[in-house]
Amino acid sequence: MTNHEISAVFRAIGSLLQIRGDDAFRARIYERAADVIEDFPSELSAEASEQNTPGYNKSAIEQLRATPGIGKAIQDKTVEMLETGRCRYYDDLTAEMGTGILELLELRGVGVKTVGRFYQELGVRDLEDLQALLESGKMRGLKGIGKKTLQMISESLAFRTQLRKARPLWAVLPIAQRISENLAQFGWIKRKPEFTGHLRRSEEICRGIELIVECQDESAFQFENGVVPDSLQAFLEPFSQTQIVFKTGDQTQYLYDSDSASLIEKSQDEPTSDVREMLPVIQFYIDQYFPASIYLCTAATSELTLFLTTAADAHFDALPDCPSPQTTEHGITEAEIYEELGLSYIPPELRQDSTSVAAAKDNTLPDLVEFTDLRGDLHAHTDSSDGRNTLQEIVAAAKAEGLEYFAITDHSVSSTVANGLDQKRLLEQVKQVRELDAEIEGITVLAGSEVDIRRSGTLDFPDEILAQLDIVVASVHSHFNLTEAEMTKRIVRAIEHPFVNIIGHPTGRMLGRRPMYPLNLEEVIAAAAENDTVLEINGSPSRLDLDPQFVRMAKDAGVLLAVNTDAHAIRQLSHRHSGLNVARRGWLTKAEVINTYTLEELREQCSIGVPS
DNA sequence: GCCGTTTTCGGCCCGACTGTTTTCAGTCG
């Protein structure tokens, strides 16, 4: 198991204990353990840490045990998970309570106390139970839950229900990776499975998992006599609660019967001429709601399959012609397919809608920004506010990543929960940053702040303080329930502030948790263009804010963007990757992303890197 | 469950603010 998976188990234990009404302090220990392991600097499993010994990474476990708050019980359960892949304590808890109850915690308007009451007093075990309860009217008159709260729960429930079919990339990726790793072990697979569909397009919200596996030869997916190889049976076992469909290339469909491990021919659908319907594929559901497709191909058909399955429907329909399924022995490459279609090559991230097809026809597709173009990060936190690492640690890590410059932007005083810095602490930090910058070779450290935009649009620090900073990122962290007009005015006011360089996570959305706050993006973008204020693409997988559609709007208005990590720990420096994906999906070129600038260019063109 | 002893139990608890409700749960990063 990976650190991430272990962390998720501990977090679930913590939540379940609270819902059941156990000791809150004990529950908190599990949550803290989840935090520690999530951000642990090395993988605890020997495999994941690439040590050759089987089992767990011994020195990492010792280091974990030495962490404050991690005791023997947590260590034992961690080792148990690394050795067996299971945690008996967790299994017992979920056997008693189910896992559906955890989904209720994601609802807005309720916390662990209310969910605990639903569970303990009303016997609610999942979203369906709650939905039924809401519809029955039994929730009305419940102590402590008034009309407004009820309304919020209802809306949030609808948001969650929708989310079962459309999930954030960060939630889907680990499942897809696990499936890919499981498949890769089988002898009939020639090389590691490849992501396609939503995953290959790097969509922030996925509606399915689609993988391509290249088989040794076609016999691997003809399934003659209804025989399914043992390895595939083992693979499909966890999904056998849902319908599993096998399609061969000739439009024959089979239903998989897990009891007899055999295929039963399914009544024929209407014949179709859509070549995508003729691809050999195994389709099933990850759980009740989320579809997965595993496309089977050979070396000769792999790139064609990749091409056909990467395009979103709207994009596919806009293609001038459908590529012919005939292939040569070596197979046809995607580049050759585009050439044949009379189009310039369209990067997977742009195969979302019809607009890229039109641009490919005219040869006007942008030259998209590349990961290697990124020179620095302009939004990161240390343990002075709510980051996990010290200034020295995270700067050293940024340097090791090859960054040329790195801005320290801890929270400001209003963000009390995040231990925001007051003026005195900020000025102390600025001094430390300047000292570190003078000391360290190979990277420039910038002194900044992620300043709260207050309710009225004023900033959390006076001008004479802001003037001493190299960079000011201004963000909204409170009062999310303003009207659209109020929120727009608030943010525009911050944009107009002469010392603000960048607006951080401009729409405030949290993928899978809450939608963006009401905001008139046209006005915000127009103001940013007018005032030369940069808008942020926040690379945190749970945000990915701005959304690509807004990135494109900003680009078209001539606004520059910053791809920032908002790193709260060293590992989160990797958020540059997810941020870059968004930039590419928003059609950005190198010149439109300020992190690709040299420090000198940043100073001259963005007034970043110098006190105001 | 963890920690640290006045060494085998007792204390631990992100916190200011909001909004709905009437005394407290939820929110924010």
Side-chain angles (χ1 to χ4, degrees), chain A residues 470-486:
Chain A
D470 300 326
I471 176 168
V472 174
V473 179
S475 313
V476 166
H477 291 121
S478 60
H479 303 283
F480 283 52
N481 53 355
L482 302 185
T483 63
E484 181 179 307
E486 286 170 331

PDB file of all heavy atoms in Angstrom, chain A residues 470-486:
ATOM      1  N   ASP A 470       8.451  41.378  -1.984  1.00  0.00           N
ATOM      2  CA  ASP A 470       8.808  41.179  -3.394  1.00  0.00           C
ATOM      3  C   ASP A 470       7.583  40.797  -4.220  1.00  0.00           C
ATOM      4  O   ASP A 470       7.547  41.006  -5.428  1.00  0.00           O
ATOM      5  CB  ASP A 470       9.824  40.041  -3.529  1.00  0.00           C
ATOM      6  CG  ASP A 470      11.094  40.321  -2.770  1.00  0.00           C
ATOM      7  OD1 ASP A 470      11.486  41.504  -2.701  1.00  0.00           O
ATOM      8  OD2 ASP A 470      11.697  39.361  -2.248  1.00  0.00           O
ATOM      9  N   ILE A 471       6.611  40.163  -3.542  1.00  0.00           N
ATOM     10  CA  ILE A 471       5.443  39.674  -4.271  1.00  0.00           C
ATOM     11  C   ILE A 471       4.240  39.606  -3.334  1.00  0.00           C
ATOM     12  O   ILE A 471       4.366  39.222  -2.171  1.00  0.00           O
ATOM     13  CB  ILE A 471       5.728  38.286  -4.908  1.00  0.00           C
ATOM     14  CG1 ILE A 471       4.468  37.729  -5.590  1.00  0.00           C
ATOM     15  CG2 ILE A 471       6.258  37.272  -3.877  1.00  0.00           C
ATOM     16  CD1 ILE A 471       4.733  36.524  -6.469  1.00  0.00           C
ATOM     17  N   VAL A 472       3.085  39.994  -3.849  1.00  0.00           N
ATOM     18  CA  VAL A 472       1.843  39.927  -3.083  1.00  0.00           C
ATOM     19  C   VAL A 472       0.824  39.097  -3.872  1.00  0.00           C
ATOM     20  O   VAL A 472       0.459  39.441  -4.996  1.00  0.00           O
ATOM     21  CB  VAL A 472       1.273  41.340  -2.822  1.00  0.00           C
ATOM     22  CG1 VAL A 472      -0.101  41.246  -2.147  1.00  0.00           C
ATOM     23  CG2 VAL A 472       2.234  42.156  -1.968  1.00  0.00           C
ATOM     24  N   VAL A 473       0.409  37.986  -3.258  1.00  0.00           N
ATOM     25  CA  VAL A 473      -0.678  37.175  -3.804  1.00  0.00           C
ATOM     26  C   VAL A 473      -1.898  37.465  -2.942  1.00  0.00           C
ATOM     27  O   VAL A 473      -1.837  37.311  -1.724  1.00  0.00           O
ATOM     28  CB  VAL A 473      -0.335  35.663  -3.732  1.00  0.00           C
ATOM     29  CG1 VAL A 473      -1.489  34.825  -4.283  1.00  0.00           C
ATOM     30  CG2 VAL A 473       0.947  35.350  -4.490  1.00  0.00           C
ATOM     31  N   ALA A 474      -2.969  37.912  -3.540  1.00  0.00           N
ATOM     32  CA  ALA A 474      -4.167  38.238  -2.759  1.00  0.00           C
ATOM     33  C   ALA A 474      -5.248  37.193  -3.006  1.00  0.00           C
ATOM     34  O   ALA A 474      -5.539  36.865  -4.160  1.00  0.00           O
ATOM     35  CB  ALA A 474      -4.677  39.629  -3.142  1.00  0.00           C
ATOM     36  N   SER A 475      -5.826  36.661  -1.920  1.00  0.00           N
ATOM     37  CA  SER A 475      -6.808  35.579  -2.066  1.00  0.00           C
ATOM     38  C   SER A 475      -7.988  35.760  -1.119  1.00  0.00           C
ATOM     39  O   SER A 475      -7.865  36.346  -0.057  1.00  0.00           O
ATOM     40  CB  SER A 475      -6.168  34.217  -1.750  1.00  0.00           C
ATOM     41  OG  SER A 475      -4.942  34.053  -2.399  1.00  0.00           O
ATOM     42  N   VAL A 476      -9.113  35.159  -1.514  1.00  0.00           N
ATOM     43  CA  VAL A 476     -10.318  35.120  -0.681  1.00  0.00           C
ATOM     44  C   VAL A 476     -10.317  33.818   0.123  1.00  0.00           C
ATOM     45  O   VAL A 476     -10.147  32.731  -0.437  1.00  0.00           O
ATOM     46  CB  VAL A 476     -11.575  35.179  -1.577  1.00  0.00           C
ATOM     47  CG1 VAL A 476     -12.823  34.789  -0.795  1.00  0.00           C
ATOM     48  CG2 VAL A 476     -11.733  36.569  -2.168  1.00  0.00           C
ATOM     49  N   HIS A 477     -10.474  33.960   1.450  1.00  0.00           N
ATOM     50  CA  HIS A 477     -10.519  32.767   2.301  1.00  0.00           C
ATOM     51  C   HIS A 477     -11.714  32.768   3.247  1.00  0.00           C
ATOM     52  O   HIS A 477     -11.819  31.915   4.124  1.00  0.00           O
ATOM     53  CB  HIS A 477      -9.244  32.668   3.153  1.00  0.00           C
ATOM     54  CG  HIS A 477      -8.009  32.366   2.367  1.00  0.00           C
ATOM     55  ND1 HIS A 477      -6.910  33.190   2.353  1.00  0.00           N
ATOM     56  CD2 HIS A 477      -7.695  31.337   1.551  1.00  0.00           C
ATOM     57  CE1 HIS A 477      -5.974  32.677   1.574  1.00  0.00           C
ATOM     58  NE2 HIS A 477      -6.428  31.564   1.073  1.00  0.00           N
ATOM     59  N   SER A 478     -12.576  33.769   3.106  1.00  0.00           N
ATOM     60  CA  SER A 478     -13.685  33.864   4.063  1.00  0.00           C
ATOM     61  C   SER A 478     -14.899  34.481   3.375  1.00  0.00           C
ATOM     62  O   SER A 478     -14.786  34.988   2.264  1.00  0.00           O
ATOM     63  CB  SER A 478     -13.271  34.761   5.222  1.00  0.00           C
ATOM     64  OG  SER A 478     -12.948  36.048   4.711  1.00  0.00           O
ATOM     65  N   HIS A 479     -16.019  34.443   4.039  1.00  0.00           N
ATOM     66  CA  HIS A 479     -17.257  35.057   3.518  1.00  0.00           C
ATOM     67  C   HIS A 479     -17.528  34.621   2.077  1.00  0.00           C
ATOM     68  O   HIS A 479     -17.494  35.421   1.158  1.00  0.00           O
ATOM     69  CB  HIS A 479     -17.176  36.591   3.574  1.00  0.00           C
ATOM     70  CG  HIS A 479     -16.908  37.100   4.961  1.00  0.00           C
ATOM     71  ND1 HIS A 479     -17.880  37.146   5.928  1.00  0.00           N
ATOM     72  CD2 HIS A 479     -15.781  37.548   5.542  1.00  0.00           C
ATOM     73  CE1 HIS A 479     -17.350  37.619   7.037  1.00  0.00           C
ATOM     74  NE2 HIS A 479     -16.079  37.862   6.841  1.00  0.00           N
ATOM     75  N   PHE A 480     -17.783  33.348   1.929  1.00  0.00           N
ATOM     76  CA  PHE A 480     -18.020  32.789   0.598  1.00  0.00           C
ATOM     77  C   PHE A 480     -19.457  32.993   0.125  1.00  0.00           C
ATOM     78  O   PHE A 480     -19.767  32.703  -1.010  1.00  0.00           O
ATOM     79  CB  PHE A 480     -17.728  31.278   0.603  1.00  0.00           C
ATOM     80  CG  PHE A 480     -16.270  30.956   0.587  1.00  0.00           C
ATOM     81  CD1 PHE A 480     -15.406  31.518   1.508  1.00  0.00           C
ATOM     82  CD2 PHE A 480     -15.750  30.072  -0.347  1.00  0.00           C
ATOM     83  CE1 PHE A 480     -14.057  31.223   1.490  1.00  0.00           C
ATOM     84  CE2 PHE A 480     -14.402  29.778  -0.366  1.00  0.00           C
ATOM     85  CZ  PHE A 480     -13.559  30.355   0.551  1.00  0.00           C
ATOM     86  N   ASN A 481     -20.288  33.459   1.029  1.00  0.00           N
ATOM     87  CA  ASN A 481     -21.715  33.502   0.690  1.00  0.00           C
ATOM     88  C   ASN A 481     -22.203  34.903   0.319  1.00  0.00           C
ATOM     89  O   ASN A 481     -23.367  35.223   0.473  1.00  0.00           O
ATOM     90  CB  ASN A 481     -22.536  32.944   1.851  1.00  0.00           C
ATOM     91  CG  ASN A 481     -22.190  33.638   3.161  1.00  0.00           C
ATOM     92  OD1 ASN A 481     -21.274  34.460   3.195  1.00  0.00           O
ATOM     93  ND2 ASN A 481     -22.898  33.316   4.220  1.00  0.00           N
ATOM     94  N   LEU A 482     -21.293  35.737  -0.175  1.00  0.00           N
ATOM     95  CA  LEU A 482     -21.718  37.053  -0.662  1.00  0.00           C
ATOM     96  C   LEU A 482     -22.492  36.879  -1.970  1.00  0.00           C
ATOM     97  O   LEU A 482     -22.425  35.834  -2.609  1.00  0.00           O
ATOM     98  CB  LEU A 482     -20.500  37.947  -0.923  1.00  0.00           C
ATOM     99  CG  LEU A 482     -19.549  38.212   0.253  1.00  0.00           C
ATOM    100  CD1 LEU A 482     -18.482  39.215  -0.151  1.00  0.00           C
ATOM    101  CD2 LEU A 482     -20.297  38.695   1.477  1.00  0.00           C
ATOM    102  N   THR A 483     -23.175  37.932  -2.367  1.00  0.00           N
ATOM    103  CA  THR A 483     -23.843  37.884  -3.671  1.00  0.00           C
ATOM    104  C   THR A 483     -22.786  38.026  -4.765  1.00  0.00           C
ATOM    105  O   THR A 483     -21.649  38.422  -4.495  1.00  0.00           O
ATOM    106  CB  THR A 483     -24.831  39.054  -3.834  1.00  0.00           C
ATOM    107  OG1 THR A 483     -24.069  40.276  -3.793  1.00  0.00           O
ATOM    108  CG2 THR A 483     -25.865  39.057  -2.721  1.00  0.00           C
ATOM    109  N   GLU A 484     -23.183  37.725  -6.005  1.00  0.00           N
ATOM    110  CA  GLU A 484     -22.244  37.816  -7.118  1.00  0.00           C
ATOM    111  C   GLU A 484     -21.690  39.236  -7.243  1.00  0.00           C
ATOM    112  O   GLU A 484     -20.488  39.433  -7.426  1.00  0.00           O
ATOM    113  CB  GLU A 484     -22.939  37.409  -8.425  1.00  0.00           C
ATOM    114  CG  GLU A 484     -22.002  37.465  -9.618  1.00  0.00           C
ATOM    115  CD  GLU A 484     -22.677  37.029 -10.921  1.00  0.00           C
ATOM    116  OE1 GLU A 484     -23.263  35.937 -10.941  1.00  0.00           O
ATOM    117  OE2 GLU A 484     -22.597  37.797 -11.897  1.00  0.00           O
ATOM    118  N   ALA A 485     -22.562  40.206  -7.105  1.00  0.00           N
ATOM    119  CA  ALA A 485     -22.126  41.604  -7.248  1.00  0.00           C
ATOM    120  C   ALA A 485     -21.130  41.969  -6.143  1.00  0.00           C
ATOM    121  O   ALA A 485     -20.094  42.594  -6.414  1.00  0.00           O
ATOM    122  CB  ALA A 485     -23.338  42.524  -7.202  1.00  0.00           C
ATOM    123  N   GLU A 486     -21.419  41.565  -4.929  1.00  0.00           N
ATOM    124  CA  GLU A 486     -20.532  41.884  -3.806  1.00  0.00           C
ATOM    125  C   GLU A 486     -19.168  41.204  -3.974  1.00  0.00           C
ATOM    126  O   GLU A 486     -18.117  41.813  -3.760  1.00  0.00           O
ATOM    127  CB  GLU A 486     -21.163  41.416  -2.484  1.00  0.00           C
ATOM    128  CG  GLU A 486     -22.315  42.272  -1.996  1.00  0.00           C
ATOM    129  CD  GLU A 486     -23.063  41.632  -0.823  1.00  0.00           C
ATOM    130  OE1 GLU A 486     -23.087  40.382  -0.724  1.00  0.00           O
ATOM    131  OE2 GLU A 486     -23.609  42.371  -0.012  1.00  0.00           O
TER     132      GLU A 486
END
